Amino acid sequence: MATYNKRGFKAPKEKEEKLDNNFIEDVNVDAKDSTTAKAFDALDQTASKTEDFVAKNQKYILGFLGAIALVTIGYLLFQKFVAGPKEQDAADDLFVAQQNFQKAVDGTTAQDSLFNLVLKGAEGKQGAIEIANQYSGTDAGNIANYYAGIAYLNTGKYTEAIDYLEKFSSKDVMLGSIAKGAIGDAYAQKNQPQKALEYYVKAAEMNPNELTTPRYLLKAGQTAYALGNKTDALKYFTQIKEKYETTPEAATIDALIGMAQ
C-alpha cells in the first residue's frame, strides 16, 4: 500500500482578481429605472455583506481551514506509521493461514484439522481469528474474515461462520458472491431456509457471471421450492435455462422447471 508523508502545509495564495474595466465601462444604465442596475446594486450589497462576514469571522474560518489541514496530515501520518506497518505484520501472519486454507479446500482428507489450523494458527503465526480481530481495517484483516468464516462453515460452527462472513467485503466479481452464498449455506444448516434463500438471491444478483450466478440461482430455486414457493422457484430455474444454458447447473434444469410448474 503506497503511503505519503506531507511535511508542512501552506495554504495557496489567492489569485488577485482583475476586473475587466472595458466591460464595465461599456455598461451604460439608468440607476433609477434599469433592472440591470438594480441587479448590479444587489450584487454589490451581497459582496459587501460577504466581506463583512469574512472580516468578523476570520479567526473561525482560519481555524476551520487549519483543522482540515491537521486532519489531512494526521491521516497521512496514520497511513505511514500505523496502517502500513500493521498491514505488513498482518500479511506475514496471514501467509501461513492462507496456505493451510488452500490445502483444506483442495484436499479430501484431514480437512477439519487444516481448517482448525486456519482458525487458530500454526508455525508460530496467528490464525485467521486473531488476524481478523487484531488487524481490523486492513486488507489482510478483511480477507482473514473470509478465511475464518469458511473455516467455521466447514467445521460445523454456523453462527460463527455467519459472524465473520458478514464482516467480509470484496469488489471481486466472484469472491463477494461466494461469501454471500456461504452465509446462505450456514443459514440452511441452521434450518433457517427463509434466511438462506435471502442470501442465495443476494449472491446470485451480485456481480452476475457464469460461475457463481447459476450456482446460487439453483440453490435459490431449490430452497424456494422446499418452502412451497413454486412461483419463485420457477423464476430462478428459468433464469438458468435462459441465461446460463451452457453451465453445469443447466444440465437438469428442464426437470426442475417441470417440477415447479
Side-chain angles (χ1 to χ4, degrees):
M1 178 183 294
T3 58
Y4 304 89
N5 185 19
K6 184 179 289 184
R7 298 182 179 177
F9 177 83
K10 293 184 179 181
K13 294 183 179 180
E14 295 182 356
K15 294 182 179 179
E16 294 183 359
E17 294 184 2
K18 294 184 180 181
L19 296 176
D20 187 341
N21 294 323
N22 291 331
F23 175 76
I24 294 175
E25 290 173 354
D26 285 342
V27 178
N28 184 17
V29 296
D30 187 328
K32 292 183 180 179
D33 300 322
S34 172
T35 302
T36 305
K38 292 178 182 179
F40 277 110
D41 289 341
L43 288 172
D44 288 340
Q45 291 174 12
T46 301
S48 178
K49 290 178 181 177
T50 302
E51 290 172 358
D52 291 342
F53 175 82
V54 172
K56 291 178 181 178
N57 298 278
Q58 186 175 22
K59 181 171 67 175
Y60 301 105
I61 293 172
L62 291 175
F64 176 71
L65 293 175
I68 293 176
L70 286 174
V71 169
T72 302
I73 293 171
Y75 172 77
L76 294 174
L77 290 174
F78 174 82
Q79 289 296 314
K80 179 174 179 62
F81 295 110
V82 180
K86 279 184 68 177
E87 190 77 66
Q88 184 59 52
D89 291 342
D92 290 343
D93 282 349
L94 187 64
F95 178 71
V96 174
Q98 188 176 29
Q99 286 185 316
N100 285 321
F101 181 86
Q102 197 61 48
K103 290 177 184 176
V105 171
D106 294 341
T108 56
T109 59
Q111 286 182 308
D112 284 357
S113 297
L114 288 167
F115 279 126
N116 280 319
L117 291 178
V118 171
L119 291 167
K120 298 177 182 178
E123 300 177 26
K125 298 296 185 180
Q126 297 182 98
I129 299 170
E130 291 183 7
I131 296 170
N133 295 337
Q134 183 174 344
Y135 298 105
S136 175
T138 67
D139 290 340
N142 182 46
I143 195 66
N145 283 318
Y146 176 80
Y147 289 152
I150 298 299
Y152 272 131
L153 179 64
N154 283 277
T155 52
K157 296 182 179 179
Y158 306 119
T159 300
E160 291 87 346
I162 293 168
D163 289 341
Y164 278 95
L165 288 169
E166 287 280 22
K167 297 174 187 176
F168 173 71
S169 62
S170 175
K171 295 180 180 178
D172 183 80
V173 172
M174 290 185 288
L175 203 56
S177 300
I178 292 171
K180 292 297 182 188
I183 295 174
D185 290 339
Y187 275 119
Q189 292 297 325
K190 285 167 64 71
N191 197 27
Q192 294 180 244
Q194 194 62 54
K195 290 291 292 183
L197 176 59
E198 176 187 334
Y199 277 90
Y200 289 148
V201 172
K202 286 181 180 180
E205 292 178 346
M206 181 181 290
N207 302 321
N209 63 83
E210 298 257 329
L211 179 63
T212 63
T213 304
R215 176 182 181 181
Y216 293 117
L217 281 173
L218 180 61
K219 290 193 174 190
Q222 291 170 330
T223 305
Y225 184 84
L227 286 167
N229 190 342
K230 290 187 176 183
T231 301
D232 282 349
L234 180 61
K235 177 177 68 174
Y236 301 133
F237 293 149
T238 302
Q239 285 185 53
I240 295 173
K241 182 176 177 61
E242 293 180 349
K243 297 180 180 179
Y244 304 100
E245 61 181 352
T246 61
T247 64
E249 289 77 11
T252 59
I253 204 66
D254 287 334
L256 292 172
I257 288 174
M259 289 170 55
Q261 286 177 333

